[in-house]
Amino acid sequence: METEKVRELMLTAARMRKLALSTIQTAGSGHIGGSFSSIEILTALYFDVLRIDPSRPTWADRDRLVLSKGHCTPALYSALAMRGYFPVERLKEFRRIDAYMSGHAEMHVPGVDMSTGSLGQGFSAALGMALAGKMFKSPYRVYAILGDGELEEGQVWEAAMAAGFHKLDNLVAIVDNNGLQLDGTLEQIMNPQPIDKKFEAFGWVTRTVDGHDIGRIVPALREEVPSGKPLAVIAGTVKGKGVSFMENGVKWHGGHPTPAEFERAFLELDQAIAQWEGSI
């Protein structure tokens, strides 16, 4: 990718991270760690890769995005707002009991292609969308973002096996591989490694990238795959990326910052924004 384009996308990601934190602050709750680790992935998708039209969120031939790790809506909803699916002001409805913008992805929200939350099920829904696309000869592609802890669900591997068997080269799985889950590291809970070899065993093409380097993410998603092969991109990420005291911290899976911690976090995010603004 051209350097200027990468810098613009990284600036977008920095602004999205701040918007996600503002959304959590307003709501008084929300999953920070996994939202922050997926920001660059979502930026690459919504601002470069996906064939979408925010003015037509139900356009039949649009690419689909399923956030299988459905609790990371502060990142997803921020991406959708910034992309123009709905006004940024609506993020104030996040987790409000009188609104539809809940803590897990819901199709009531413009731009959300699948309601998700129970881990593993979103990936199966993405599989069904891709299979339907093949059956009806539709041009769209389906992208599913999974957490690495989510790979402990057996349903994920049933879907992976089915995708390989049905030769769904219109399906892309992106694994947010930050190494942490709710109550520990992957190694402590149930290690799914080697992730790439498991997907390859079911007939997938795999690519491993730095999940915070948009200059690597976009080409990995755009580069063609052999006919009949679904693609799995294993994105190495850092939970809580972008705020120093949150990075690689299990407590920030869903932990809520104190007022002083919010202030410190916003300061760091503003510095990152200023840095990328200065590079363009």
Side-chain angles (χ1 to χ4, degrees), residues 10 20 29 43 100 154 164 199 211 233-234 237-238 242 277:
M10 291 300 291
S29 63
T43 301
Y100 288 123
F199 275 101
V233 175
I234 294 86
T237 60
V238 175
E277 287 176 335

Side-chain angles (χ1 to χ4, degrees), residues 120-232:
Q121 293 185 4
F123 190 37
S124 292
L127 164 75
M129 293 175 185
L131 190 58
K134 286 293 185 182
M135 291 174 64
F136 293 105
K137 302 187 186 316
S138 299
Y140 65 75
R141 295 177 65 77
V142 184
Y143 298 80
I145 301 177
L146 301 96
D148 48 7
E150 182 178 7
L151 302 186
E152 295 161 14
E153 298 283 354
Q155 186 169 347
V156 167
W157 301 110
E158 292 180 48
M161 178 169 59
F165 177 79
H166 290 291
K167 304 184 185 304
L168 299 182
D169 51 14
N170 61 341
L171 178 62
V172 179
I174 307 166
V175 179
D176 183 359
N177 189 196
N178 60 42
L180 296 173
Q181 55 192 102
L182 175 62
D183 49 2
T185 67
L186 296 186
E187 290 77 8
Q188 291 171 326
I189 311 302
M190 189 185 294
N191 194 354
Q193 300 288 356
I195 297 170
D196 54 349
K197 299 303 179 185
K198 286 183 172 65
F199 275 101
E200 288 167 7
F202 290 124
W204 291 60
V205 171
T206 62
R207 294 170 185 154
T208 301
V209 298
D210 177 344
H212 299 300
D213 185 347
I214 293 178
R216 301 288 184 183
I217 299 169
V218 170
L221 294 172
R222 284 194 171 279
E223 187 178 336
E224 290 188 12
V225 295
S227 179
K229 294 281 189 179
L231 170 65

